[in-house]
Each structure stands twice: as structure tokens, then as C-alpha cells.
Amino acid sequence: MRPFYWLALVTILGAILLPREIPPELYPVVETSKAATVRFVVPLGEFGASGGSGSIVSPDGYVFTNFHVTSGVRNLMINLDSGEEIPARIVGSNDKVDFSLVKLTPPEPRVFPYVKLGNSDLVKKMDRVYAIGAPGDRSASVLFSPGRVYREWQLVNTVTAGSVVDVHLPFTILNPEYGREMSPDYGKELSAMIATSATINAGNSGGPLFNFLGEQIGVNSWGASIFEASHIAMPINDAKKSYEDILSAGRVIYPWAGIYIFWSSARRKGATNLQTGGWGGRLGIPSAQEILAEYVATSIKMGLREYQKFLYPSEIKGVWPESPAEKAGLAPGDVILSVNGEKYRDAFELVRKIRAKKVGEPVEFLIKRGKFQALVTVILEEQPQSPAGAGGTL
Amino acid sequence: MKKPFPILGALLLLSVANAEQTPKKLDPKNFPYVQAIQKVAPAVVSVEGLTTPGAVVAPGVVQRLQLQTGASGFIVTKQGHIITTYEITKALKDIQVTLTDGRRFKAQKVYEDRWNNFSILQLEGKGPFTPVTFGDAQALRPGESVLAVGFPLAEGLTATAGVVSSLRNFYLLTDYMVPYAIQTDATYYSFNLGGPLINTRGEVVGMNTFSAESYLFFLPVISEQILRQMQNVNFALPANIIQEYLPGILAGEKVFHPWSGIHVVEVSQFLRYYVGFPPEWIDRDVGVIVDNVDAKGPAGKKGVQLGDVILGAKVYLATGERTLKEELVFRSPVDYAATIAKMKKGERIRLSIIRGGKPMEVEFEPFEKPPDAFPGTV
């Protein structure tokens, strides 16, 4: 055979094996991902809930969304891309990671269009992404109206595009003084979020974030209304883990040592008393205090001064009674120098390291107490549901 | 031909490595965005003028000072007609228009469409003027790249990039429904309103009309709501509407704005039982309920009342014999508003109504929406 045949073959093979090229325009992939994006209908008169979005992830109709979309809704109704309304039920949810798994329950079994799930570990800064959802909610539309004019303000199938601004963003709302979602009980597990410049408004919550190949890489969680280009999405790998746990065990399982790394338990207990309604309490309209809380929390989230408190090494603020950490002899005031011989950058990475382990796995902490250092082995247990497993524990 | 595979492997590796090491050299001047902006640039203008003191610039906001302000616009004919936003230019006098090449002209208002929110101005002076090329707004797909171009106060051309968020029937700031308005996340600000929304080929697909942010800002609502405002929810008037009306307007005709004079809202499940829906319709997501009736309107004159439920309608053409144009059901208030908005002059609509549990029908011909129409009526 002549060599240039080989050359031709090599060129073709080379073209096939090259890294997948990102398409410059995204409308070809948007078509397919739009078909699998759904809207959570808020029945008229049901004021506790705000609208939200979601994405169908399996042909039999499992839907990923945020916990704060499904909480407070009595009868879930889901609006498909085609306009059909289909009843749904909550299969399982976890308020700690702000995740809900919902199953569509159509009268007759059928096959739904579904999104392709990607791998959020591969997401890098500057990756181009797009979000689909239904921004706007009815509680806003009531106030929109000059002269009692009522407008539909859920803008279904809105596509917004942008790029990844940050990965592994610690999105922990640190201010315990305000309502439920502002307390450390909420959002403390969100230690590795994706920040994007694709606009996420109220109502986009729970909707999918895609890369330009059309793979879902995140669940849109928070639109920071005050700062542009700081919209927060939950990585899809966290959602996939919750999905598998809920299907196999009925709940989301995380390993837990019982260490308070962000707040002391006493302060956390005080904060739980403040669970008064929160967003979507009375009429679904936030009070001035709650708005201010969001403002403060968002500022703190971004603030370097606040972040520096969580840099290496982390001090144990509290230990839950009869937790694995207490059994192993850890006490408040101990400084964690390393985990399994590895150092960490900040408290959030420490949380991520523990979270990556399995229940029943031993973890070796190098501890500094006063002048002394010691290796302590903690056998992880399953993180209990509230109250012990809450509030920035690891 | 004894050892093809090592050679093949080596070549393969080389080709992959080469491709990764030498990225394509790109000249920034050849980027599609840059070329698109350069193509549209000669037709983009800045519209400036003095506000009339005492003018109502937004619902409930009276401008008492005389200010110099402006918007963007673009040239649509070789005779020097430009199109810009009505919302800002309605209160302007002594209008000065600056082209991107630095030429300045005085301009006269030729036509103002308060409902579709555009004004047409005529430049006073000799050309040549370069009009824009219109693209097909109906062929846009969600996800397609668009650019909002503006020439704020003649200070230099600006462009913000985004994607088409969706094409939807939507109400403009003026309370008027526009079928297939373009929703985009390309950022709007005060001075690129009225400017063109272009695709990556430099064709104009719409006019930047309003953003939800500015909408909220103008409303006399509590300041908390402003903090919770929506970002980058922006709407453009689609170019096909401009293209459709422009020849008529230049020939001296007026644009017809169909108006039925009622305002409808969704029917909740509870209301379905209360108003006596037929059993076979009760579980179907169909029907809108009349919330407000303007007695001056055609529907009000024909006896449509508060609390009537409208299930659907038949639309008849304006020709001599009755020819059915379309028959439809209303799933949402937007459906009803869009049906009225798409009607031509002389067409008649026959509504299927349920009043007090009894079905009935009302037929009327929408007429021109008056400036003092009750707010919210379509």
C-alpha cells in the first residue's frame, strides 16, 4: 500500500480523535435540552410557594430540582415544554444540599424526553454554559401590577448564556440572625458550587445548567440579584449522588464525624429558634429584613475578610455528644492539621474531603491541642437528620 | 508495508499533538461579532433632545425639569427615516440626530406608535444615508447569538452580547401585546433602547424596547421589590412588525391596533366550579375569566360582562362572505391577548362564553385601541 493512503487515514483518524470541539452557536443543542426542562406550576391561591424549574433526567420521568422549590407546595403540578400539565410527587429530598427528587406521575405510563447528565468535576473556569428555566413568579406578578393589572410573569423556556466564573465556590450563608434559609441550618453543605455569569432569576431555581455540548452540569440554585455574574448552581455530581442514594436507600447519605467547624453548637441551637417562616412565609413576599439578610449574606459570601476566618488550619468549634468525634476523644479547641496525612486549603475543602469518604470508613486526623500533637482515628457514621447533623458539621 | 502500525501510531500521535499545540490563529477583526457591528454601524444613530417639562415619562412619574436626554435609533430608508423608541422620544423636542460618522442632523417626528412603542423620525438634510438590512426575526431560535447595539449620546458605538432567550407573545411596557416578541439576555441600559438588535450576520432582527429591570424601576412599588428585580429579562420589538408597517406609514397610513376592551385572567380550579364549568371542561386547562371591561370597547358594547369565562373563539376574515380564518381555545390570558393582537382590520371574532353556567356566544369587530383605554385591557 502506498504511504499516502496511510497519511490520509491518519489525518481522518486524527480529526476524529481530536478533543471535541465546542460549537460556536448553541441553538442546535438548546432544542433538545429545552424539551426536557420543566416548570413547577404554582396553583393560584397557593401562596406559600414560588415558582421554579426542573429537568427530567430519566425516560420514566424523574425530575431534579431544588428543595426550596418543592417545599411548601401541597399538590405538585409540572408543566412540560409541550404545555401539558402533569401531576408529580416528591420521591425524596434533602434540605441540606437543597435537592429534591420528583417523579412525574402521568395517568398512563409514557416515555419523557430527558437530559444527558455530564460530569461536573470536568467543569473549568471560563467554560461556556447556558441555563434554561422559567424566571419570574406569581408573588412578584402581584406587585407588578399598576392598577390591579395581573400579568403572567413566569417566562417559560428562557435561555440565558454565560460562562463559568468559579468552581468549588463555598456558598455558605453565614449569618444566623435571620430567617430559616439564612440560618446555618441551610445551605451549609453547599461548599463547592459553580458560579456562572448566565443570568439566574427567581423562578430559575431547580432548572438545569448545561455546557455547550448539551450535558447538564449543574442545578441552578441561587441568583444573586444584587451582583451580576455571580449566579450559583449546584454541581450535577452532588445531585447524581443524592439521586442514587434516594433510589437505593430512600434518603441522602453523607458520612459524618460530628465536628462543628464553622459555628459552635450553642450558637447553632440558638439559631434554630429563629426558624420563623422565611421566604415565602406569609404571602410569598420577603420582608425588608429578609431582603437585607440576603444582601448581607451575599456580601459576606463574597467578602475576603470573612473567608480568611476559614483558612487552614481549622479549629474545632464544637463536638456533638456521642458523635464519632467525641467517641474518638476530640474536643473543642483542637486544631485539625491534616486529614489522612493530607493538608487542606480551607474549612470548605476539609468538608469536601470528609464528604468524599464512605460511612464506616476510618479517617485519621492530625490534631494539635496546646503544645501537643496527636493522631486520632475517627470512624465515620451516617450524618443524622436534624438537629445533630445540621449546621456546618463534618 | 511490514510495520504499518507503529508508523500509524506515531503519525496519529503527531497529528493530535500538533493540533493541540498550535491553536488556530484568530484575527480579532475577523470575529463574527466585530464584523456584524461594523456592518450595522453606519445606520446606527444617537437621538438627543430636550425633555418637555411636565411630561409623563413613566406611569406615575412626571418629569418637571427640562433635561437633555436621548436614545439610540437606526436608519431604515435611503431617504433618511430613522426608527427609535417612543417611550423616550415622546417627551423630546428639538431633536438632534448624530450618525456614527459624526454628521449631525435635525429631525422631525413623522409617526408615533404609542402601543408598539416606536417612533419614526425624518432627518432634515441631504444624504447619503445607509439603511440597515433586516433579517428574519421569525426564523430566530432560542440560543442564537444576538447583539444589542447602541450609540449612547453620540459618545461611541456600544454593543452588548447575549442570546435569544425565547420568542414569546408578550406585553410591552405600553400595555400592548406583541406577538413573537424577542426575549434576550443581552444587557439593555437607558441609552441603547431604540437601537437595533442584530444577529451575527449584521442583520437587524429587532428594536431594543424594554427590560424588566427598567419596568420595575419606574413603578411606584416598595423599594424592597427593586432589590428582588429580574436581571437581563429584556424584550425587543421584532423586525417583521417594523417591516410590515413601515411602507404603509411612509405612504401616510396609520397602524391598526386591534382592541377588544376587556382584561382577562386565569381561571383557578375553584373558580371553575364556582362559575359552573361544563363537566367535560372542568379538568381541562382551558378558559380565561373576564376581570375588567371597558364599556367603550367593542366587547363591552356587545354585552361581555365581568366574570364571563371565555373558552375559545372563531376568527372570521374581513372578506364579504363569512370565511373562517381560525378556531382556537384559550389556555392562558396571553393566548387571548395574542389572538386579538394578530387580527387585521375588519376581521370579526366570535367568543364562546360561559355565563352563569350557560354557554353563549358574542361576536364583535375589534377596533383601534384608544389612548385612554382602561389599563390592562387588550
Side-chain angles (χ1 to χ4, degrees):
Chain A
M1 207 186 272
R2 286 183 213 124
F4 55 84
Y5 280 123
W6 284 111
L7 268 176
L9 188 66
V10 163
T11 321
I12 293 163
L13 273 173
I16 292 166
L17 291 176
L18 276 179
R20 292 180 296 178
E21 198 175 314
I22 308 295
E25 287 278 351
L26 61 91
Y27 56 84
V29 284
V30 163
E31 287 302 316
T32 49
S33 35
K34 237 173 58 156
T37 306
V38 296
R39 161 174 87 120
F40 283 80
V41 183
V42 183
L44 277 176
E46 191 151 330
F47 278 114
S50 62
S53 311
S55 58
I56 307 176
V57 296
S58 72
D60 51 346
Y62 280 103
V63 175
F64 282 6
T65 188
N66 279 147
F67 175 75
H68 72 262
V69 170
T70 55
S71 69
V73 185
R74 280 163 294 173
N75 304 313
L76 272 184
M77 274 301 243
I78 284 182
N79 207 329
L80 297 189
D81 179 46
S82 55
E84 276 178 274
E85 275 192 14
I86 291 181
R89 66 185 165 83
I90 302 173
V91 181
S93 56
N94 190 325
D95 65 332
K96 291 176 197 129
V97 289
D98 197 11
F99 174 81
S100 255
L101 183 66
V102 173
K103 174 95 164 59
L104 288 164
T105 50
E108 292 118 32
R110 53 185 276 196
V111 176
F112 294 99
Y114 62 101
V115 297
K116 198 177 151 196
L117 296 180
N119 183 356
S120 52
D121 289 346
L122 302 178
V123 176
K124 301 186 299 294
K125 280 187 195 181
M126 295 305 289
D127 276 1
R128 294 186 73 193
V129 289
Y130 63 94
I132 304 187
D137 54 41
R138 281 178 203 280
S139 57
S141 71
V142 175
L143 281 183
F144 256 109
S145 47
R148 274 184 67 245
V149 177
Y150 185 86
R151 288 281 183 256
E152 283 210 328
W153 263 95
Q154 261 205 320
L155 305 166
V156 288
N157 279 335
T158 287
V159 183
T160 49
S163 49
V164 174
V165 176
D166 200 357
V167 289
H168 288 326
L169 181 83
F171 182 71
T172 304
I173 296 173
L174 299 171
N175 200 324
E177 304 302 325
Y178 301 99
R180 179 172 172 277
E181 298 185 7
M182 300 305 142
S183 79
D185 276 356
Y186 196 89
K188 75 265 161 208
E189 314 295 345
L190 312 178
S191 57
M193 306 292 271
I194 301 170
T196 77
S197 62
T199 312
I200 296 169
N201 282 306
N204 267 113
S205 286
L209 183 77
F210 296 98
N211 62 16
F212 266 37
L213 299 165
E215 298 164 345
Q216 188 180 353
I217 52 155
V219 178
N220 300 325
S221 302
W222 291 91
S225 312
I226 293 142
F227 302 99
E228 298 227 11
S230 57
H231 308 280
I232 313 291
M234 173 167 101
I236 197 69
N237 287 9
D238 284 5
K240 277 199 277 192
K241 185 222 176 331
S242 304
Y243 174 49
E244 284 154 17
D245 281 359
I246 288 170
L247 285 194
S248 58
R251 60 188 192 281
V252 183
I253 299 168
Y254 279 112
W256 182 68
I259 302 169
Y260 287 84
I261 205 81
F262 299 110
W263 304 274
S264 67
S265 54
R267 196 169 166 202
R268 195 200 64 76
K269 267 186 197 161
T272 50
N273 297 332
L274 287 165
Q275 295 186 358
T276 47
W279 293 81
R282 300 149 304 276
L283 285 171
I285 302 157
S287 68
Q289 196 191 36
E290 284 161 348
I291 294 286
L292 184 71
E294 191 192 38
Y295 184 83
V296 169
T298 325
S299 324
I300 288 173
K301 185 190 74 196
M302 301 295 162
L304 187 65
R305 202 163 58 96
E306 202 64 27
Y307 171 71
Q308 279 170 345
K309 288 183 190 169
F310 301 110
L311 282 174
Y312 176 87
S314 287
E315 191 188 303
I316 296 177
K317 300 277 177 8
V319 174
W320 189 260
E322 293 174 23
S323 69
E326 204 206 40
K327 285 175 203 161
L330 294 181
D334 294 354
V335 178
I336 301 172
L337 295 179
S338 73
V339 180
N340 282 355
E342 296 167 17
K343 279 196 175 181
Y344 53 93
R345 196 180 61 170
D346 51 30
F348 303 101
E349 196 184 339
L350 185 61
V351 173
R352 283 204 294 277
K353 275 186 186 295
I354 300 296
R355 288 273 222 79
K357 304 276 186 284
K358 287 193 178 60
V359 174
E361 209 177 316
V363 177
E364 232 176 30
F365 288 97
L366 181 61
I367 292 295
K368 187 175 161 229
R369 186 182 295 176
K371 290 177 187 169
F372 306 103
Q373 289 191 3
L375 272 174
V376 181
T377 306
V378 177
I379 293 160
L380 298 177
E381 286 175 10
E382 188 190 328
Q383 184 174 31
Q385 304 297 324
S386 296
T393 62
L394 54 86
Chain B
M1 270 316 295
K2 278 180 189 170
K3 285 181 184 171
F5 289 104
I7 299 166
L8 175 71
L11 278 173
L12 198 77
L13 272 177
L14 263 177
S15 76
V16 172
N18 263 343
E20 278 180 350
Q21 276 168 11
T22 53
K24 270 184 240 167
K25 284 239 167 144
L26 287 173
D27 183 0
K29 279 175 189 148
N30 292 335
F31 284 166
Y33 283 5
V34 180
Q35 289 184 331
I37 294 164
Q38 277 174 350
K39 194 179 163 200
V40 81
V44 180
V45 299
S46 162
V47 182
E48 286 167 74
L50 294 171
T51 55
T52 329
V56 181
V57 291
V61 183
V62 179
Q63 183 67 260
R64 294 195 188 283
L65 296 169
Q66 191 172 41
L67 301 168
Q68 181 158 24
T69 184
S72 297
F74 52 99
I75 303 172
V76 286
T77 64
K78 281 183 182 168
Q79 295 83 41
H81 290 101
I82 66 169
I83 190 162
T84 181
T85 172
Y86 166 77
E87 201 56 42
I88 295 173
T89 52
K90 68 180 173 189
L92 292 189
K93 55 180 187 181
D94 299 338
I95 294 176
Q96 281 270 345
V97 173
T98 313
L99 272 58
T100 44
D101 57 11
R103 285 184 287 164
R104 287 174 79 85
F105 296 95
K106 288 207 159 203
Q108 288 297 325
K109 286 177 192 169
V110 174
Y111 186 83
E112 286 189 329
D113 189 332
R114 62 169 291 158
W115 298 118
N116 278 312
N117 200 357
F118 68 82
S119 298
I120 291 180
L121 314 180
Q122 163 82 62
L123 297 179
E124 293 177 342
K126 289 217 164 170
F129 302 115
T130 324
V132 294
T133 322
F134 282 107
D136 190 358
Q138 302 296 299
L140 284 176
R141 281 160 292 183
E144 208 169 320
S145 296
V146 282
L147 296 157
V149 182
F151 191 35
L153 303 176
E155 290 276 338
L157 203 67
T158 65
T160 48
V163 293
V164 176
S165 290
S166 71
L167 294 163
R168 66 175 83 247
N169 303 329
F170 205 72
Y171 305 90
L172 293 185
L173 178 58
T174 55
D175 230 6
Y176 188 70
M177 157 66 75
V178 165
Y180 310 119
I182 304 164
Q183 188 197 340
T184 174
D185 68 346
T187 309
Y188 285 6
Y189 53 93
S190 330
F191 299 120
N192 74 359
L193 295 178
L197 187 78
I198 62 172
N199 61 18
T200 44
R201 293 182 296 280
E203 299 161 344
V204 173
V205 290
M207 186 191 81
N208 307 332
T209 301
F210 88 100
S211 76
E213 272 174 81
S214 65
Y215 190 24
L216 257 178
F217 178 73
F218 280 125
L219 290 177
V221 292
I222 42 171
S223 57
E224 298 168 2
Q225 205 59 25
I226 292 168
L227 282 175
R228 213 163 123 71
Q229 64 187 235
M230 310 236 281
Q231 280 178 0
N232 290 343
V233 176
N234 306 323
F235 287 90
L237 186 72
N240 58 301
I241 288 190
I242 302 167
Q243 279 175 290
E244 185 188 332
Y245 293 152
L246 195 59
I249 291 170
L250 297 183
E253 291 170 23
K254 290 202 163 165
V255 176
F256 175 59
H257 306 96
W259 181 61
S260 66
I262 54 174
H263 177 243
V264 293
V265 293
E266 277 178 62
V267 197
S268 67
Q269 198 70 28
F270 169 72
L271 269 178
R272 270 162 212 275
Y273 287 99
Y274 187 77
V275 299
F277 251 51
E280 67 270 23
W281 289 82
I282 217 127
D283 282 332
R284 291 176 61 185
D285 183 26
V286 168
V288 289
I289 190 160
V290 178
D291 185 43
N292 262 321
V293 180
D294 191 329
K296 301 189 299 293
K301 279 180 182 167
K302 293 282 179 187
V304 175
Q305 292 176 7
L306 216 74
D308 286 357
V309 174
I310 306 173
L311 294 176
K314 288 172 184 163
V315 181
Y316 295 101
L317 287 176
T319 48
E321 63 265 36
R322 283 168 73 83
T323 323
L324 192 67
K325 181 186 168 195
E326 54 183 343
E327 190 175 352
L328 17 89
V329 289
F330 300 132
R331 292 182 189 282
S332 70
V334 171
D335 279 1
Y336 175 78
T339 307
I340 297 292
K342 284 176 196 164
M343 286 175 75
K344 300 273 181 295
K345 194 159 191 166
E347 286 181 354
R348 299 181 70 77
I349 185 165
R350 193 173 181 85
L351 303 177
S352 311
I353 287 178
I354 292 177
R355 181 186 297 164
K358 294 191 188 81
M360 56 183 288
E361 293 197 329
V362 173
E363 187 173 323
F364 59 87
E365 184 189 321
F367 53 64
E368 172 69 24
K369 185 168 184 176
D372 61 341
F374 190 84
T377 52
V378 292

